[in-house]
Amino acid sequence: MNATAMKTPAMPATIVNGIDVDALKGVVDEISKDPAKGMVEFRVTSAWKGKTRSGAVVESYSLAGQRIDRRFSMMVDEPLELLGENTAPNPQEYLMTALNACVTVGYVAGAAIRGIRLDSVQVTTEGALDLRGFLGIDPAVKPGYDRIRYTVRIKGDGTPEQFREIHETVLKTSPNYFNVSQPIAIDADLIVER
Amino acid sequence: MNATAMKTPAMPATIVNGIDVDALKGVVDEISKDPAKGMVEFRVTSAWKGKTRSGAVVESYSLAGQRIDRRFSMMVDEPLELLGENTAPNPQEYLMTALNACVTVGYVAGAAIRGIRLDSVQVTTEGALDLRGFLGIDPAVKPGYDRIRYTVRIKGDGTPEQFREIHETVLKTSPNYFNVSQPIAIDADLIVER
């Protein structure tokens, strides 16, 4: 302990599950007062890389109208049996990863704000598709899922009732749970280049 | 040219856009005759990695009831401003990548089966979320997208009419276009571990 440490310390941050709970509460307060601060926009550009491969690039997102640069890339392919080269996860696996990751943040933040310390969260999603839809063999067959199943295994110092409450909240507030389970309007533009 | 090449050659495969069109037509025929051959199941398991990070693992998928092992992993995080560490794309960016990659395969296969050679396919998706939904500030605010916009830029030796036809087919047959634009039932199980 040195002299500096003897001075009046700043209030320590309350960190639960790695989440700065005071910062989270601050964000909630700020957005409650000014909803424009909670408007967020995402964008991804993907380019065909031959056969069934594509590469996606993230260059920025926007928060409260302000563009924030960050750069990531993701590769997607199909398995050998689906005419791909099996060099990367496929679009269905990206969709499930998107769902799993989104609900995971929901469980972690939901526990943090209640002061519940988590040991682990594991989410498994699975679903079956009938390829007659994608291949246009039968227009009566859906190209996507009829239903998908996700199972979350959670461990921590909360009560079963608290975990049930967090779970129910996640089902109501997770963006990707909503995006998959509810219909989203998609405006699709085609530009034919010369 | 050597002696071997002078022998009666096997019929060369018809490759368009890297897609073996004969193999694709063979798959369509086979699944038309026996729809069980076109049943495919995907599964992804994700584990919380601290803060807003999660790691997704693909270990297998199933085609026609047969499990096929393959291994991929994906990391997901949130940007700094959303209480993450910005080490990886976020769940929204994974969702858009899933959509973009799925429609890209649709354009490429749709062009290949019509004998249209493509130079490029680029898909951009963007959408805005109101964080009051995720944060539970206002139950009347959707946690997910109100609408998203995707723009495809395509270049190749097809006519504008052919590209329009392929585009309309993709909107009807893309699994992830369906999964995002149409409601999908999700069976969500919670297991509280001790």
Side-chain angles (χ1 to χ4, degrees):
Chain A
M1 189 177 287
N2 59 33
T4 311
M6 299 297 293
K7 291 183 186 168
T8 310
M11 191 75 166
T14 308
I15 307 290
V16 185
N17 305 325
I19 304 291
D20 183 334
V21 176
D22 299 327
L24 176 55
K25 287 180 180 166
V27 166
V28 170
D29 279 353
E30 211 173 358
I31 295 174
S32 298
K33 282 179 205 141
D34 181 2
K37 291 196 170 151
M39 289 307 296
V40 63
E41 282 177 56
F42 295 98
R43 51 190 82 95
V44 174
T45 295
S46 299
W48 176 48
K49 300 291 185 187
K51 301 199 178 189
T52 62
R53 263 166 80 85
S54 63
V57 173
V58 172
E59 292 185 311
S60 67
Y61 84 112
S62 298
L63 179 62
Q66 189 159 9
R67 198 170 177 113
I68 297 161
D69 289 337
R70 38 203 276 288
R71 197 168 176 96
F72 296 108
S73 59
M74 288 166 269
M75 289 301 306
V76 195
D77 198 355
E78 294 286 355
L80 296 174
E81 304 76 20
L82 302 180
L83 304 184
E85 293 195 307
N86 198 41
T87 59
N90 99 329
Q92 296 313 311
E93 292 157 346
Y94 269 87
L95 185 84
M96 290 176 174
T97 296
L99 174 64
N100 290 359
C102 194
V103 296
T104 297
V105 173
Y107 292 107
V108 170
I113 213 142
R114 289 169 178 82
I116 297 168
R117 278 157 219 279
L118 296 174
D119 298 310
S120 60
V121 183
Q122 190 197 67
V123 182
T124 299
T125 294
E126 51 193 358
L129 290 175
D130 184 333
L131 289 177
R132 289 179 298 168
F134 170 66
L135 294 169
I137 293 170
D138 183 348
V141 173
K142 293 176 182 179
Y145 296 108
D146 195 37
R147 60 198 313 114
I148 64 184
R149 167 170 290 275
Y150 103 71
T151 305
V152 53
R153 286 177 175 77
I154 198 161
K155 191 175 172 189
D157 67 8
T159 64
E161 294 67 34
Q162 284 176 312
F163 283 128
R164 170 62 53 189
E165 181 192 305
I166 293 168
H167 179 64
E168 297 300 335
T169 301
V170 169
L171 302 190
K172 280 190 290 230
T173 59
S174 161
N176 278 344
Y177 187 91
F178 182 94
N179 293 333
V180 174
S181 64
Q182 302 297 319
I184 307 294
I186 304 182
D187 299 322
D189 273 355
L190 168 69
I191 298 171
V192 178
E193 297 192 326
R194 302 263 95 203
Chain B
M1 190 178 289
N2 60 33
T4 313
M6 297 297 291
K7 291 183 188 168
T8 310
M11 190 73 165
T14 308
I15 306 289
V16 185
N17 306 325
I19 304 291
D20 182 335
V21 175
D22 299 328
L24 176 56
K25 287 179 179 167
V27 166
V28 171
D29 279 354
E30 213 173 357
I31 295 174
S32 299
K33 283 179 203 142
D34 182 1
K37 290 193 171 154
M39 290 306 297
V40 64
E41 281 178 57
F42 294 99
R43 52 191 81 94
V44 174
T45 295
S46 299
W48 175 49
K49 300 291 186 188
K51 300 197 179 192
T52 62
R53 265 166 78 85
S54 63
V57 173
V58 172
E59 293 186 310
S60 67
Y61 84 112
S62 299
L63 179 62
Q66 190 159 9
R67 198 170 177 114
I68 297 161
D69 289 337
R70 36 203 279 287
R71 196 167 178 97
F72 296 108
S73 58
M74 288 165 270
M75 288 301 306
V76 194
D77 199 355
E78 295 285 355
L80 297 174
E81 303 77 18
L82 302 180
L83 304 185
E85 294 194 307
N86 198 41
T87 59
N90 99 328
Q92 297 312 312
E93 293 157 344
Y94 269 87
L95 186 84
M96 291 176 173
T97 296
L99 175 64
N100 290 0
C102 193
V103 296
T104 297
V105 172
Y107 292 107
V108 170
I113 213 141
R114 289 166 177 84
I116 297 167
R117 275 158 221 279
L118 296 175
D119 298 311
S120 60
V121 183
Q122 191 197 68
V123 182
T124 298
T125 294
E126 51 194 359
L129 291 174
D130 184 333
L131 288 177
R132 288 180 298 167
F134 170 66
L135 294 170
I137 292 171
D138 182 348
V141 173
K142 293 177 182 181
Y145 295 107
D146 197 35
R147 59 197 316 114
I148 64 184
R149 166 169 292 275
Y150 102 72
T151 305
V152 53
R153 288 178 173 77
I154 198 163
K155 191 176 173 190
D157 67 8
T159 64
E161 294 68 31
Q162 285 177 312
F163 284 127
R164 170 62 52 189
E165 182 191 305
I166 293 168
H167 179 65
E168 297 300 336
T169 301
V170 168
L171 302 190
K172 280 191 288 232
T173 60
S174 161
N176 277 345
Y177 186 91
F178 182 94
N179 292 334
V180 174
S181 64
Q182 302 297 319
I184 307 293
I186 304 181
D187 298 322
D189 273 355
L190 168 69
I191 298 171
V192 178
E193 298 191 325
R194 300 264 97 200

